[in-house]
Amino acid sequence: DIQMTQSPSTLSASVGDRVTITCRASQSISSWLAWYQQKPGKAPKLLIYKASNLESGVPSRFSGSGSGTEFTLTISSLQPGDFATYYCQHYYSYPYTFGQGTKLEIK
Amino acid sequence: EVQLLESGGGLVQPGGSLRLSCATSGFTFSSYAMSWVRQAPGKGLQWVSTISSSGGDTYYTDSVKGRFTISRDNSKNTLYLQMNSLRAEDTAVYYCARDRGSDYVDFWGQGTLVTVSS
């Protein structure tokens, strides 16, 4: 199985900051990676697919990059509604594993 | 508007069974692969199972193989997860999810809580 490792596990930042979350795969997954945002008590929401494609309706301050084994999710200027937990997930081959999550907290 | 509505969760004893259902609307159900993803209390997301649009192909995470069965009824626009031999570690919110191109999830239900406890 392909293991996905996110870093950091927790990130403290302020409104307006630029933040980056990293996701590493245990083997190459090409660009078969998605990013999700989850707020407490809510279902996850798709942000990015195929590593760098922004889902329709998602603000352009979110961006994704990477290929192979290393990927990043960047939020260019944090807004109050962005404080949430973020997950990466590969879809290279089954099982489609998730990273453990990165909790983005208000500093 | 795409809607996924899970039902069937609840409290069950270890070794027991539950059947989850996910009623869908707002899209052509028979054209999409569908998945179940779970989240244990305070923990991260775990992919559980996926079924192809026709129902002919199914996939499971190792920890549920032989115990869980995913199925669908395209005439009723409904997804199912039959869960047998339940264990305490199966306690989680179970999300019904629509897959785009049999790849990533592009839409999630609100989830149903399954608690396995004596």
Side-chain angles (χ1 to χ4, degrees):
Chain A
D1 296 358
I2 298 171
Q3 307 305 315
M4 306 300 293
T5 304
Q6 290 182 230
S7 60
S9 295
T10 306
L11 180 57
S12 296
S14 302
V15 173
D17 284 354
R18 177 185 179 91
V19 299
T20 297
I21 298 168
T22 298
C23 177
R24 290 185 174 87
S26 59
Q27 66 181 73
S28 177
I29 57 169
S30 185
S31 297
W32 306 120
L33 185 96
W35 288 97
Y36 303 92
Q37 175 194 68
Q38 187 180 34
K39 297 182 179 179
K42 300 294 186 181
K45 172 188 173 184
L46 175 67
L47 299 176
I48 301 282
Y49 62 93
K50 207 175 179 183
S52 61
N53 291 269
L54 192 67
E55 173 69 356
S56 176
V58 174
S60 58
R61 63 180 179 273
F62 291 90
S63 63
S65 66
S67 66
T69 62
E70 186 152 335
F71 303 86
T72 60
L73 173 70
T74 299
I75 310 173
S76 60
S77 178
L78 277 173
Q79 299 302 301
D82 298 338
F83 292 95
T85 300
Y86 293 84
Y87 295 92
C88 62
Q89 183 199 22
H90 83 83
Y91 49 98
Y92 179 80
S93 62
Y94 290 107
Y96 288 175
T97 47
F98 289 88
Q100 81 279 16
T102 294
K103 185 175 183 180
L104 181 53
E105 298 180 329
I106 300 174
K107 185 184 285 185
Chain B
E1 178 190 7
V2 172
Q3 292 195 0
L4 307 177
L5 184 60
E6 302 95 336
S7 61
L11 175 63
V12 61
Q13 291 188 340
S17 299
L18 274 180
R19 187 198 200 200
L20 305 184
S21 299
C22 175
T24 74
S25 61
F27 65 102
T28 304
F29 180 71
S30 59
S31 296
Y32 286 84
M34 298 292 294
S35 295
W36 290 97
V37 177
R38 68 184 180 184
Q39 186 169 36
K43 303 298 184 182
L45 301 170
Q46 182 187 25
W47 172 81
V48 174
S49 183
T50 295
I51 187 167
S52 63
S53 57
S54 67
D57 296 300
T58 58
Y59 308 90
Y60 299 92
T61 192
D62 283 349
S63 62
V64 310
K65 281 180 184 174
R67 300 189 299 124
F68 289 12
T69 302
I70 191 171
S71 62
R72 65 191 295 157
D73 186 335
N74 284 347
S75 68
K76 295 182 178 179
N77 296 332
T78 302
L79 175 72
Y80 303 100
L81 185 67
Q82 177 67 43
M83 305 186 294
N84 299 331
S85 302
L86 282 161
R87 306 167 180 167
E89 54 264 36
D90 295 319
T91 294
V93 172
Y94 284 73
Y95 292 103
C96 170
R98 187 182 80 169
D99 292 2
R100 183 180 294 168
S102 300
D103 296 327
Y104 52 90
V105 173
D106 69 348
F107 202 84
W108 303 70
Q110 286 307 299
T112 187
L113 177 62
V114 172
T115 303
V116 184
S117 175
S118 55

